[in-house]
Amino acid sequence: ILYAKTMKELNWKPAILIADDGGFNDPAFVKAMGSVTEGLISRSVFASGKPGSVAAILDDLYKKKTGGDGLDDVSARVLQAFFVMAEAINNAGSTDPAKIREAILAVKKYPGAEGEYNFDKNGDGLHGYNVVRNEKGTIVYDKHIDFDD
């Protein structure tokens, strides 16, 4: 917040600002900063996405249940980890750690809150990020960028 306020006080808007996990898409940050961060573009693991998408549906359900802000990077990761773990335990038919790990690595094309999960031999499930922007005080989905190892 201090960083963004200082930029505003100095009337300085950099051509580009790179900050991984900088919190620029955190709902509390957006509320606190108002128009100061208008137009800010950031990468995000979670973005509500297009209406009807898995991410948008989960975000809407979360808002209704909590009566508050939608999902953010941290809450979406926790929610998605729970879903993937439940899927793996069901597929493994066991709570044996080795069988669960094997079932997790077998997860492919699993639609989730953060994108499509395709686990590789290292246990990495996501292979891309969302790009979001601050538009009139709301973080909106811009696009998804996939990458290969």
Side-chain angles (χ1 to χ4, degrees):
I1 291 177
L2 179 60
Y3 189 59
K5 283 183 179 179
T6 302
M7 285 171 44
K8 181 176 179 160
E9 288 172 10
L10 295 173
N11 196 27
W12 180 64
K13 198 166 195 174
I16 188 167
L17 175 65
I18 300 172
D20 191 32
D21 286 334
F24 296 118
N25 57 340
D26 184 292
F29 175 79
V30 174
K31 278 184 184 174
M33 297 312 301
S35 65
V36 172
T37 58
E38 177 70 27
L40 183 94
I41 297 172
S42 181
R43 77 101 197 130
S44 177
V45 173
F46 176 75
S48 185
K50 298 174 184 172
S53 67
V54 172
I57 292 167
L58 290 173
D59 196 39
D60 287 342
L61 289 170
Y62 186 84
K63 287 177 190 173
K64 286 178 188 170
K65 182 68 177 173
T66 64
D69 294 322
L71 293 165
D72 59 19
D73 279 5
V74 175
S75 57
R77 283 179 183 143
V78 172
L79 179 65
Q80 193 58 59
F82 174 79
F83 288 150
V84 169
M85 182 61 78
E87 176 84 1
I89 291 170
N90 286 336
N91 290 344
S94 170
T95 56
D96 177 85
K99 290 181 180 179
I100 294 171
R101 183 179 193 286
E102 186 177 312
I104 288 173
L105 297 179
V107 170
K108 304 288 183 233
K109 297 190 180 289
Y110 184 86
E114 302 170 292
E116 184 179 87
Y117 283 79
N118 292 289
F119 285 88
D120 62 21
K121 67 182 187 305
N122 300 316
D124 295 325
L126 287 175
H127 301 278
Y129 282 111
N130 297 303
V131 176
V132 297
R133 70 181 179 283
N134 183 338
E135 190 174 282
K136 297 180 182 169
T138 301
I139 297 298
V140 295
Y141 171 84
D142 188 52
K143 63 183 169 183
H144 183 82
I145 300 171
D146 286 312
F147 54 86
D148 295 319
D149 295 333

